[in-house]
Amino acid sequence: MVEMSVAGIALDAASRSPIVLLRDPSGRRQVPIWIDQAQAQNILAGLHIKEPPRPLSHDLMATLMALGGLELNKVVIHAIEDSTFLAVLKLSDEDGEEHDIDCRPSDAIALALRTGSSLWMLEEVVAEASIPVDAEADAADQSAFSRFVDELSPAALVSHLNKRGDTDEPSTDTKTPPG
């Protein structure tokens, strides 16, 4: 799983629909999730420190969870089915019992922001739905790795591993063990 953060809300240029952008820790991949205006407002309200004059729905949910002895441990976006992201709230109660609750990703994100809970996404979902954020840095990394591989020799690899202590010295014993 990959811990994600909310990079912000954007607008789809064609449809003018809001999109919540989730970013991976490297900052190189973002996962766009199309949402509606109300969902965007709930997420934006969770991103801002300033409290609204009256509690919004997700503020109310967070308060009710706390009063009921439930803690939101994390949010997991775990699949995409028919172009729809699926999420689950991972909760624990006062007895330490864990509960999973199916949830829309937008509601899960809004609630996670209000409770300070972490937001996770399965790597398969990130790989399927992400868009590169910094193509130049990715190309530079790929180029550096290609140069490294081109210049790599078996002797250099063994030497490098021996310096790190990851492997024993290669054996020069060619005798067959007794059997």
Side-chain angles (χ1 to χ4, degrees):
M1 284 197 296
V2 179
E3 187 168 11
M4 305 294 280
S5 61
V6 178
I9 302 284
L11 285 177
D12 182 303
S15 68
R16 306 297 292 164
S17 295
I19 303 167
V20 61
L21 299 169
L22 303 179
R23 184 171 290 160
D24 75 353
S26 72
R28 296 235 175 116
R29 298 181 296 177
Q30 284 189 151
V31 175
I33 301 176
W34 276 255
I35 56 178
D36 66 28
Q37 290 292 336
Q39 295 167 329
Q41 290 300 321
N42 284 321
I43 291 170
L44 284 171
L47 285 171
H48 295 96
I49 306 294
K50 185 177 152 188
E51 287 190 35
R54 304 283 304 144
L56 300 174
S57 298
H58 295 87
D59 300 313
L60 178 61
M61 281 189 269
T63 301
L64 289 171
M65 283 179 11
L67 288 173
L70 292 172
E71 180 180 344
L72 179 59
N73 299 319
K74 64 183 168 185
V75 166
V76 178
I77 300 173
H78 59 88
I80 303 173
E81 290 180 5
D82 299 323
S83 300
T84 300
F85 288 86
L86 304 178
V88 64
L89 301 175
K90 299 280 194 173
L91 301 161
S92 59
D93 61 25
E94 292 173 330
D95 298 327
E97 190 173 333
E98 295 184 358
H99 307 275
D100 291 353
I101 299 177
D102 183 40
C103 188
R104 294 187 308 180
S106 58
D107 289 328
I109 293 165
L111 194 54
L113 289 170
R114 284 165 174 78
T115 61
S117 303
S118 58
L119 175 60
W120 294 84
M121 188 174 282
L122 290 184
E123 176 60 43
E124 299 82 35
V125 176
V126 176
E128 181 179 340
S130 67
I131 55 174
V133 176
D134 191 348
E136 286 182 28
D138 289 343
D141 283 352
Q142 186 174 8
S143 177
F145 182 73
S146 293
R147 278 193 310 278
F148 168 75
V149 170
D150 289 343
E151 296 168 3
L152 187 62
S153 69
L157 180 59
V158 169
S159 174
H160 174 74
L161 291 175
N162 285 338
K163 286 179 189 173
R164 288 186 37 193
D166 289 350
T167 185
D168 296 329
E169 286 289 326
S171 174
T172 57
D173 186 7
T174 57
K175 294 180 186 173
T176 306

